[in-house]
Amino acid sequence: MRPAPLPEPLRTAPITRDLARDSGVPLSRLERGDLTVVTRGVRVVTPPASLQARAAAFAAAMRREDHAFSHVTAAILWGLPLPTRVEGQSDLDVVWSTRRGRVRRDGCIGHRGLESRAVSDHLGLRVTAPADTWCDLGEVLRRGLTRDDLVVAGDAVANLLGTDPEAEPVHLMAESLHRRVRPRGKVMLTEALALVRPGVRSPMETRTRLMFHRASLPEPELNVPVMFEEGGWMLEGDFVWRRQRVIGEYQGAHHATIRQRGVDHSRRLLAEDDGWTFLELFADDVFTRSRRIATLTRLGATLGVPAGDLHLW
């Protein structure tokens, strides 16, 4: 016999026993094969296709005030860039109050210490706040995160926190880290935090900036306006060394279209006509050793850094 149709609200929402009972649905209906068990006590009509949907289904099985999504799960929900090897984990990270002990539930990785973390309502879910989410990534180093990955995620967190005009993003992140008692990965987090800068707009901009840092090049301004010498706005540069009148532009995939290449060419001509040196930077300039050495050598010479002072690898 075909299962009885469910009321409309239950066709799209995670179904718990309480919700079924309140909707007048017999509990025996929850045992039919057309429903998918997401976690103990929760069923859905359509298997969740995204991490957000899966988290919403898990949240239905837990007391709202007693948990929050954390670590990698929170980072993904906040849109923090993570390497594929980490982002692709199947289990959800959930942090509970210490007084409850470690809660074990299939499909999730349980953590303790909710009371020491700030929590935000985000996407309809309880999620650890961005600064605390970043600190929790120190516990993920064993899953394959590196210091550079922490800096990339930290730059993204700094931008999220930077929407508050009263906040100094890196200071807020440092406060969150210092509130922790013997946090895992503290040394790596502290090193990464010293390299975090607000204003970076993509993971590859961060990795390019870190390349400059390792080579002992002067630190550029990030995504700042550049004015014509006689006054007036000319362009916004990804990396700007104002004193040396050098602009570096990272050319990601979206720069590959004919239209965007035309825009980039016009910007370059404007800068060069005004006496600036304009350097285009690509992924191979960061990841391929021969290209990296050539790029850093050329940029060092342009910035007036003696070749012997460069750290090339």
Side-chain angles (χ1 to χ4, degrees):
M1 182 181 295
R2 199 174 278 181
L6 292 167
E8 184 62 37
L10 271 61
R11 296 178 193 172
T12 55
I15 307 168
T16 62
R17 292 171 66 90
D18 287 344
L19 181 59
R21 189 182 295 112
D22 293 343
S23 302
V25 174
L27 296 184
S28 60
R29 175 66 179 84
L30 302 185
E31 305 305 319
R32 300 302 297 269
D34 62 322
L35 299 180
T36 298
V37 178
V38 179
T39 186
R40 185 175 67 252
V42 180
R43 290 159 171 76
V44 292
V45 172
T46 303
S50 67
L51 179 135
Q52 182 183 343
R54 194 151 52 93
F58 266 74
M62 300 179 285
R63 290 189 298 177
R64 178 172 174 79
E65 71 281 0
D66 211 26
H67 78 279
F69 294 100
S70 62
H71 296 72
V72 170
T73 301
I76 295 171
L77 291 170
W78 282 114
L80 306 186
L82 297 174
T84 303
R85 62 184 177 276
V86 175
E87 195 175 49
Q89 72 170 43
S90 57
D91 290 342
L92 298 171
D93 286 294
V94 185
V95 60
W96 277 276
S97 301
T98 301
R99 68 178 185 274
R100 286 197 62 186
R102 188 178 296 277
V103 177
R104 300 189 185 280
R105 177 177 282 274
D106 289 344
C108 76
I109 302 169
H111 307 271
R112 292 180 292 180
L114 176 62
E115 66 279 357
S116 67
R117 291 157 170 80
V119 175
S120 300
D121 283 317
H122 180 59
L123 302 175
L125 301 166
R126 279 172 57 81
V127 182
T128 52
D132 276 306
T133 296
W134 182 78
C135 292
D136 283 335
L137 292 180
E139 297 184 30
V140 184
L141 296 174
R142 67 186 188 282
R143 300 189 212 171
L145 278 185
T146 66
R147 186 182 71 172
D148 282 7
D149 297 329
L150 289 176
V151 179
V152 169
D155 280 358
V157 168
N159 288 337
L160 285 174
L161 297 176
T163 58
D164 180 356
E166 302 298 320
E168 205 293 300
V170 177
H171 178 69
L172 292 177
M173 294 168 70
E175 284 185 338
S176 294
L177 181 57
H178 294 155
R179 280 198 301 268
R180 303 291 180 93
V181 179
R182 296 188 299 276
R184 291 179 184 171
K186 183 176 182 179
V187 171
M188 192 80 80
L189 285 165
T190 302
E191 292 175 356
L193 186 59
L195 296 170
V196 168
R197 300 289 183 272
V200 178
R201 292 183 179 162
S202 74
M204 278 306 302
E205 283 189 18
T206 297
R207 295 187 187 279
T208 303
R209 178 174 64 78
L210 292 175
M211 178 181 73
F212 301 151
H213 170 77
R214 288 198 182 92
S216 301
L217 290 171
E219 185 165 335
E221 297 177 69
L222 306 172
N223 292 298
V224 292
V226 177
M227 315 300 285
F228 285 109
E229 192 165 19
E230 68 274 12
W233 187 87
M234 178 169 62
L235 55 82
E236 185 177 274
D238 293 346
F239 309 102
V240 177
W241 291 270
R242 205 172 294 276
R243 184 175 64 82
Q244 297 92 338
R245 296 181 67 80
V246 175
I247 298 168
E249 287 286 294
Y250 182 77
Q251 307 289 52
H254 72 282
H255 289 270
T257 66
I258 294 296
R259 176 170 181 164
Q260 187 59 47
R261 290 300 297 160
V263 171
D264 293 339
H265 181 68
S266 296
R267 295 170 77 247
R268 177 173 190 150
L269 292 179
L270 284 174
E272 291 178 342
D273 287 348
D274 203 55
W276 290 79
T277 299
F278 192 100
L279 297 176
E280 292 184 316
L281 302 157
F282 300 89
D284 279 350
D285 297 327
V286 179
F287 294 127
T288 302
R289 186 173 185 272
S290 59
R291 287 272 296 269
R292 182 170 62 245
I293 290 174
T295 297
L296 292 171
T297 301
R298 183 170 63 254
L299 181 55
T302 304
L303 294 173
V305 177
D309 292 346
L310 289 176
H311 176 67
L312 303 175
W313 72 103

